[in-house]
Structure formats: C-alpha cells, structure tokens
C-alpha cells in the first residue's frame, strides 16, 4: 500500500505513505476488535441494527478511519469521505475513507475500506474500485437533505379535494 500511495503523486512523501499504510492496517485490526467482529459484514450490520453489537456499520468504520488518519496531520496526504449510492441488488449504500495526495480530489486517491471484508483492510484506487462507484460524501448528503426537504414540503401541503 505504501508504494501505491506514493505513486498517486510525486509530492507524496515516503514516510507519510508508510505511516498512512501502517495506521490503516493497524487501525482496521483495532476497530475489528472494538466492534466485536465475528461475522461477515452484512450479518454484523444486522446485529448492530438489532443492538446486539456496539458498532461496525460501514459508516462507523469510515468515520473512525477518517478520524484516526486525520489525527496524523499529514503534510502530503489528504483524507476524504465517500459514499457509494445503491447500485447493487440489496440497495445498500456504502461509506469509506479515501487517502489522496494533498490538493488532489478523492478520485485520484486510494480507498481504504475495512468494512468490505469484515475487518480485513481492502485498498484500491478510487477510480478502479471493482465493487463501488464512489461519490463525495458531502454531495450525497446534500442530495439526501434536499430529498428530505421535498418530502417534508409534500407532507405539509394540505390535501385539497376538488368538488366540481
């Protein structure tokens, strides 16, 4: 992973790429233990949603990975959050953290996804991810807020019968 991070941009420092890679692997293992991962991701999600496990939805992994990586205050790397909207048979969206070179967008970066294989880190270039089409988290969340506002507006609109 270190080499892949360095290949994103010639400005990425080797020491930072190595540190980001090591942290990504180590933090994945720490989170797997903290989340009590014993099942495949979808089964674990069900247990979290039922209140049987503390955390471990993909957004938890993404939040915690983003927070840990940002704590490093990298000078040549930047941390992003992304969401893949439902384009799969189960209609599930997926969240992740992405590492890019400082100043580059997330599409030039590397997905760091601890959820996909239930506590085993998956990393892949964002544009080449075979499983997900990633979008900036802020963009997806803005769309969700707009949809909610439209729905609330429709719900608040009085129903008028036409009795002609």
């Amino acid at each position: 992973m270190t080499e892949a991070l360095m290949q994103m941009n010639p400005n990425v420092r080797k020491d930072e790429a190595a540190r980001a890679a090591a942290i990504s692997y180590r933090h994945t293992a720490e989170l797997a233990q903290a989340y009590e991962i014993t099942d495949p991701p979808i089964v674990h999600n069900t247990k979290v949603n039922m209140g049987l496990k503390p955390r471990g939805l993909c957004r938890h992994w993404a939040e915690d990975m983003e927070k840990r990586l940002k704590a490093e205050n990298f000078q040549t790397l930047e941390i992003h959050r992304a969401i893949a909207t439902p384009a799969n048979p189960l209609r599930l969206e997926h969240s992740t953290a992405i590492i890019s070179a400082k100043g580059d967008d997330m599409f030039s970066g590397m997905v760091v996804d601890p959820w996909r294989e239930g506590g085993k880190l998956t990393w892949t270039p964002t544009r080449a991810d075979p499983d997900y089409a990633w979008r900036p988290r802020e963009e997806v969340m803005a769309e969700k807020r707009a949809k909610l506002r439209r729905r609330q507006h429709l719900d608040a609109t009085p129903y008028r019968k036409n009795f002609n």
Side-chain angles (χ1 to χ4, degrees):
M1 182 175 170
T2 299
E3 289 297 320
L5 292 172
M6 289 175 52
Q7 289 175 7
M8 293 185 306
N9 185 305
N11 296 324
V12 174
R13 290 190 347 222
K14 183 176 184 172
D15 65 308
E16 288 197 346
R19 196 164 84 238
I23 288 167
S24 296
Y25 277 100
R26 185 172 53 247
H27 201 52
T28 294
E30 293 166 352
L31 292 175
Q33 187 172 10
Y35 296 165
E36 303 171 7
I37 302 296
T38 57
D39 299 297
I42 298 298
V43 174
H44 188 83
N45 279 15
T46 302
K47 290 180 177 182
V48 171
N49 289 329
M50 292 173 62
L52 302 174
K53 295 283 185 170
R55 282 174 70 84
L57 302 177
C58 61
R59 71 178 167 84
H60 297 145
W61 291 96
E63 289 167 2
D64 293 344
M65 185 63 76
E66 175 191 32
K67 182 179 176 181
R68 177 63 188 91
L69 289 166
K70 281 188 171 182
E72 289 298 306
N73 294 313
F74 294 115
Q75 300 302 302
T76 65
L77 297 173
E78 195 166 331
I79 312 305
H80 309 267
R81 280 281 300 284
I83 296 176
T85 51
N88 54 59
L90 298 176
R91 303 282 308 145
L92 299 173
E93 67 180 31
H94 183 35
S95 297
T96 198
I98 295 175
I99 303 171
S100 75
K102 183 70 95 182
D104 285 353
D105 65 24
M106 61 171 248
F107 299 104
S108 301
M110 188 72 57
V111 170
V112 286
D113 185 358
W115 177 86
R116 193 178 312 199
E117 293 190 39
K120 179 181 175 206
L121 185 66
T122 298
W123 56 272
T124 186
T126 307
R127 285 190 178 103
D129 192 328
D131 298 319
Y132 297 98
W134 296 105
R135 297 176 55 208
R137 180 180 185 273
E138 301 80 22
E139 180 182 293
V140 174
M141 297 308 286
E143 288 174 3
K144 287 181 172 191
R145 286 189 296 274
K147 185 177 180 180
L148 179 61
R149 282 192 300 274
R150 284 191 303 274
R151 189 173 357 172
Q152 288 171 337
H153 174 74
L154 289 175
D155 290 346
T157 304
Y159 177 72
R160 295 188 179 120
K161 291 184 178 181
N162 187 355
F163 294 105
N164 290 338

